[in-house]
Each structure stands twice: as C-alpha cells, then as structure tokens.
Amino acid sequence: MKTTLFAALIAGALAFPAVTNASEGPKLPAQKWSFDGPTGHFDRAQMKRGWQVFKSVCAACHSAHQLYYRNLVELGFSEAEAKQIAAGDNVPAGPNEAGETHVDGQPIMRPAQPSDKIAPPYANPAAARAANNGALPPDLSLITKARKGGADYVHAILTGYKEPPAGFQLQAGMNYNEYFAGHQIAMPAPLVEGAITFEDGTNATVDQMAKDVSAFLTWAAEPELEERKRMGIKILAFLLVFTALLFALKRRIWSDVH
Amino acid sequence: MADHTTTAGHGAPHGSHGDEGDSRRDFLVLSTLTVGAVGAGLAAWPFIDTMNPSKDVLALASTEVDLSPISEGQSITVIWRGKPVFIRKRTPGEIAEAKKSLGGDKDPQADDKRTKKPEWLVVVGICTHLGCIPLGQRTGDPKGDYNGWFCPCHGSMYDTSGRIRVGPAPRNLDVPPYEFTGDTAIRIG
Amino acid sequence: MSSEFKNPVIRWIDHRLPVFTMMEHSAVTYPTPKNLNYWWNFGSLAGIVLVVMILSGIFLAMNYTPHTSLAFDSVERIMRDVNYGWLLRYLHMNGASMFFVVVYIHIFRGMYYGSYKDPRELLWIIGVLIFLTMMATAFVGYTLPWGQMSFWGATVITNLFSVVPIVGDYIVQWLWGGFSVDNPTLNRFFALHYLLPFVIFALVALHLVALHQHKSNNPTGVEIKGDRDTIPFHPYYTVKDAFGLGVFLLIYLGFTFFAPNFFGEPDNYVAANPLVTPAHIVPEWYFLPFYAMLRSVPDNFIDAWGILPIIISAKAAGVCIMFGSIILLMFLPWLDTSKVRSANFRPVYKWAFWLFLFNYILLGYIGGQPPEGAMLTIGRVSTFWYFFHLLVVVPFLGKYERTLPLPESISAAVMAKESK
C-alpha cells in the first residue's frame, strides 16, 4: 500500500511541472460545455448555430484551413446541404486547357465541392495582412487547442471587449479586450447583438453567439472528441475487468510463495 | 506454454497448485487469457485500419462530370480514383457500328449492356492487357482498325464500344460504375 | 536440453535454432529473486511501452510527410481523415510521456536499491545510454509535427552545439543542413526518429543480456545464494508484470482518451513560423530538470572568477553542466563505494536519496518557470545540489555511513518479514 502511494506520488510529482507552467493573464470565466467531461458530446443544434456565426462573421477574415465542406455532414447537415453550402463558395479552378490560372489578372474560379477545403477569405497571408492593417487573422481550425483555456478562451475573447480603464494607453487601430494578452487586440469586437438571425429561432445575444461559435470551433479542432470519449469509456471498463482478473490470478499464483 | 516441470528445488514448487482449488484456478486462468486475447485482438484493429483508405481518399472516390460541353464525336478523359476514364459522345455512325455486332470473339457483349444512353460511352481507359493507356482520345491519334482505341504497347484494338477486337488484351475496356445525375451530368463511382 | 519440449514441431525447430530454449531460459524458468516489489515492474513495463511506441510510430510514419510545407497538415490529416489516426497519434504522444515516467521510476528504483553496484556496472551504463538515446529520439520526434514548439525547440537545442570551441558554428550548420532549422533539418530528424528506436531496441537487448548474467537485484540488495531465494519467472513474474501492465494501461489510456493534450503545449497546434517566437519556449516536461540546469549559470558568476571567461562562457558552462549531469550518472557505480546496496539498510543514504529525488522534481518545476528572481536562485541551488549529491554526498556516505545489519539471505529476509 505504502509503495503504491509512493508510486502515485512520484508519477504525479514528475508530471507536476507540466501542469503548473506559468499561467499568466486574467482568469477565464469557466463556461459549461456539452463536450466537457468523460461523457461529453457535441450539441448538434449548437453546432449548426456556431457554423452560422462562423460563416457569417468570423469567415470574413479568418480561415479554417483544416476543414472540408464534407465535414459539415458531421455537424448534422445532410449531404445535399453540405454540397449546397460548398457550391456557394468559389475555389481556384487550377490551370485551364491553355495552362492559364488567371484571366485578366483574376484567378479562374469554380464552385467548391464537398471534397474541397473550406475556402479561405484571403488568397495568402500577405493579402490577409494587407486587408487588416498589417494584422494577420489566425487560422481558426485549431484555435481551441492552440490557446490555453480552449473554448473558454475563445468565448472570453469574444465577450471581453470593454472600455479601456482610465490611463490605459491604447494604440491606434487597437481595441481593448479584458482577456487578450496585453489587452490590446487588433480585431474589433466582431459580435453585435442581433447581427444574425438564427435559423432555429434562438435569441442571438453576444453571449449566445460567442458560446455557439466557441463550441463549433471546439468541434473544428477536435472532431474526434465524441468517438474518443465513447471509445475510452468502453476500453477503460474492459481494462478494469481485465486488471481485476489479473489481480485475482496474481494473488492466487503467489499464494504459495513463502 | 512450457512443457516442463523442472521447478523442483525452488522455494515455491508448482506442485502445490495441483492439489486444491485446481478447477477454480483453471477457470481464472482461462477467463483471464480469454479476456486478454480478446483485448489484444481488438487493440490490433485500429492499427490495421489506419492502412485502409482514409476519409479524404474516400471523399474523392466518386467524380462528377458535366457532359454538356462535349460535342458529338468528341472525347474527354477524366481522372477517377487515380485512373483515366474515357467519356465519348458517339456519332450516330459509331453507335450503329457498335450495335451491329457483339464485338470480337474474346469477350462478346452487346453495346446496350455497356452504355446507359447510346450516345455516351464511358469506359476506364486502361488496356486490359498490361495496363497501358490506349490511344484514340485526341484527333489525329491512331484509332485502330475498328475506329475505337489502339494500344501502342502491344497493338490491341478496341471498337467504338470499347470492346477488344484484335490483339493480346483479354477483355473489353471496363465500364466503371456510374449514373446520370441529370441529362448531361454523371457521377462515376 | 531441447528434448524437453513435447511438441515435435517445436522440438524440431529448437534442435536447429534454439530460440525456444532461449525463451524458456530467459522468461520461463529464469530464476528471479522471490522478494521483488512492485518497483521492479517498471523495467518490463518500459520494454512494453517501447514496443507500443515503435508500432504506433510505424503506422504514423505511413501517413506522415516530412516536409516543412506539408508536415503540420499531414499530422492534422492523421488526426482527422486517417482511420483511427487520432488514436495512434495520441497513443504516440502520450506514450512518449509515459515512457519517461516509467523510465524515471526505473532509474530512481535502481538508485534507491543500489542496482548499479558491482557486478552490474555495465547494466547501469547501458541503461544510461538507453536514457540518452530516448532523449535524442524524443527531441527529434517532437520536431516532426512542425508546430511552433517543434520549430523553436529544435532551434534552441541545436543552437546549444554552437558552444563547442572553434567548430561550434560549423557543427550547428551541419546539424541543420542549412542556415536555420528548415526542410533539410526536418527531413533528417524524421530519418533519425525512425532509426533511433531500433538503436534503443538493440541497447535494451544488451541491457537484458547484462541483466541475465547476474540476475535481478532485489530489495535487500543481497545476492541470490541458492534455489530457496528464487522463484521461476513464469508464472510468478509474468502474472505480476501483467497485472502491473493492466494498472499502467488504465493510466496511460486514461490520458490518451480523456486528456490527450495534458502533457502537450498549446503552441504546438500553431504551425511553425520562423518569424515569430512563442512567448514562453518550454521543452517537454521530461526535459525540464535538464533545462533548469542549462539556465542556471549566471553570466556574472563566471566574471567574478576572473580567469574563467577566457576559456568558457556562461552559455558553454550551462551546456557542459547539462550534458555533464547525465554523463556523471555513468560513474555512479564508482562514486558510490558503499558495500551495502539497498537503501533499506543505509539509514543516512535513504534520506539523501529522497532529498535527491525531491531536488530533481524541484529542478523540473523550475525548468517550467520563467528564469527570473527567486526561481533562478532556487534553480542554482538545486543544480548545485544535484552535483553535490553525486560527487560528495554519495562517496562520503559510502565511506562513513554506519549501515544496518544485512539479512543472511533473501529467503531469510522474507521469513523474517512474514513472522512479524
């Protein structure tokens, strides 16, 4: 017993530094998410709303490079709907028979297909900077994994726009955000109450939109989450039985060692 | 397991197991081994499955083709699952030629078994002999004696229905699975 | 001997190729001290984790592209599109951390019970070589996903070699295959990451040969004196190791399925960008103690000594201390002159050991903090203590410590424990 305790202690202690890496910045308000916990899952209605927010607000400046239109089927859209959404965007068609990719300086485009990646708002990072006062809107497909706090962080940023406190030196073109490192963020507050009308009739408050799009972005970053947790529970249950059997067998085999 | 009983002299001989509680231990051993074997089997599957076609590959398993720009007597080549597919809008003469017979002796087949609409011929453009790409798609290509396709590798000749007529190829050009999604649109695969 | 097998096919093969006899001797009848506690599970556990890492790694390699413009996306393709790709990737990621947890426990167990002592010096040294190779493997492997931490970790660590006198800059360029960490670097790191695990595998084979020569040490540190002290490896230790494996898998898979990024850094989910350095570059947790030692040498410390700066810079001193801390471990069998192996019978060394372990964990904590203020001071004291323990405390105790009386034999110790 004593030894097991020590083992746990040392394993924990060795892993300790990983957890306590200096966490700077203000504490993020923790939200309740359907995907939290060992039985977490995505709320399909929320996913669809989140996609609507992403598509009509975020996607104007941010790409979601890792996502394909076909992935929308996992959100609860039908294949036909995914195809229709894809067809609404244009992607570069590639060289035509004459070997041209551009005509009159404009790229030759074709409607996107489900097998295409979701079309980015800008052709390249330089174009993105040029259109945003030199700031580069980050790709959002992994944003909840790429920031400490995940969905809580995205939600906090989206709802964290405030008047700067007295005496705060805000640089030109920057915006004050309570939860952004250094509090100066190039992105102006993107969500305005009622800016979009949710198809399912949900009231589009800033908080609601921020929650929905954060949930959507969590799915975008971890589309395997549901399968992972479902599988994990089964496998751990199986292992628990197996380990118990091994423990019984071990006790029995060792019973004659003196 | 080991076929031996050479534990004599060790502090804890095996023998003592055999006397009492034998059946219970056997049951325990058996169930533990069974559960372990099942677990090992299940654990192997994800590893094996990673080598199966992935989602991005499967997403490209079917190809949609708009036929409207193709005029009579014209052929296009599209790529489907990494292979060339010949799509030809046949002329009435070619259709008549194709319907006249069942093709050669090697692989006789009626033309309407090979097409969904008589004017559209859709075949996989790979010679059934050794996998070369037959000529005949572009104007000026040799089309062989039967006005279809000619394989430059070993001289196989295909007719206007893509059937083998002369040469070493054993079969007609394969017809891929496809369906019309509109009057002039098909989905292959 | 081969006639012992009843199965004619096995007997036929074994007569010509005695693999079954070998297996029989090393994993079935192999006489093992009967008093090994659960700390002795971690050796075989490490072997199993190595196999899991190699297997998952091979299947990942089938889907990975070692090119700067494709690597990050190819990893994401594994996570999203490859069947069970996410599972393999998370198994591999968390497996690396688990490998180090298991091996760290294995190493400290060896230190506590004096398993490195005569005649097991080479067994210990091969072990240190395995540890070094593991670190190299983990380091090049961490570069492969080509995230921000991958890129900057590779940049910082390869730059360490610039402290080598005269040819340092040349060596760094040679490591990179260019003028910065770039595509040639990624390519060779991938090749090395595929190679090194098999080097580890070979070293593990040698480790086992050395182990089987003089058999396992045990909690009393008293050598095996006769058959009464041992039990056959199978079924006793096969079942005990299997049970330990079950417990280990519960923890390992618990992380893999429910907190797969617990040991990771969010910045590595941002694709590598040579123009932007993340705010805090932190190595993976298992490198943190060494990272703390690297950063512990102050600039003015050397200036104060006056003569040293001519031959060695603070940066070079840090690098020497870091590598020296591992190399020094190889000399442990000779630094520790105590006749008694197990700390159970060494009342003072026992405390020195726990202090050393605590100090090591503290170093790990410091390594994860920004090198400022109190953290820096504590880091320096801790680094000092690491070396002081190995170079002074251990030799001193070996000479002057008054040890407790040893049991006559392993079986006598077991009897005494049971009669209590």
Side-chain angles (χ1 to χ4, degrees), chain B residues 116-130:
Chain B
K116 296 212 162 132
K117 289 183 182 177
E119 64 268 37
W120 294 108
L121 179 69
V122 182
V123 289
V124 176
I126 294 178
C127 181
T128 56
H129 179 218
L130 292 171

Side-chain angles (χ1 to χ4, degrees), chain A residues 45-131:
Chain A
Q46 184 175 43
M47 290 289 110
K48 280 194 170 181
R49 290 197 302 270
W51 160 253
Q52 206 186 333
V53 177
F54 173 80
K55 181 73 180 142
S56 46
V57 182
C58 315
C61 301
H62 292 273
S63 58
H65 173 64
Q66 308 293 348
L67 294 185
Y68 293 87
Y69 291 102
R70 63 180 157 85
N71 294 137
L72 295 177
V73 175
E74 298 160 38
L75 287 189
F77 288 103
S78 69
E79 302 239 352
E81 283 171 325
K83 209 165 158 181
Q84 200 186 349
I85 292 169
D89 290 341
N90 285 317
V91 293
N96 62 14
E97 276 160 22
E100 293 160 331
T101 55
H102 288 66
V103 172
D104 300 332
Q106 290 301 311
I108 305 171
M109 304 298 269
R110 64 167 170 81
Q113 289 174 352
S115 59
D116 285 314
K117 285 191 164 180
I118 288 182
Y122 305 108
N124 54 59
R129 280 186 194 280

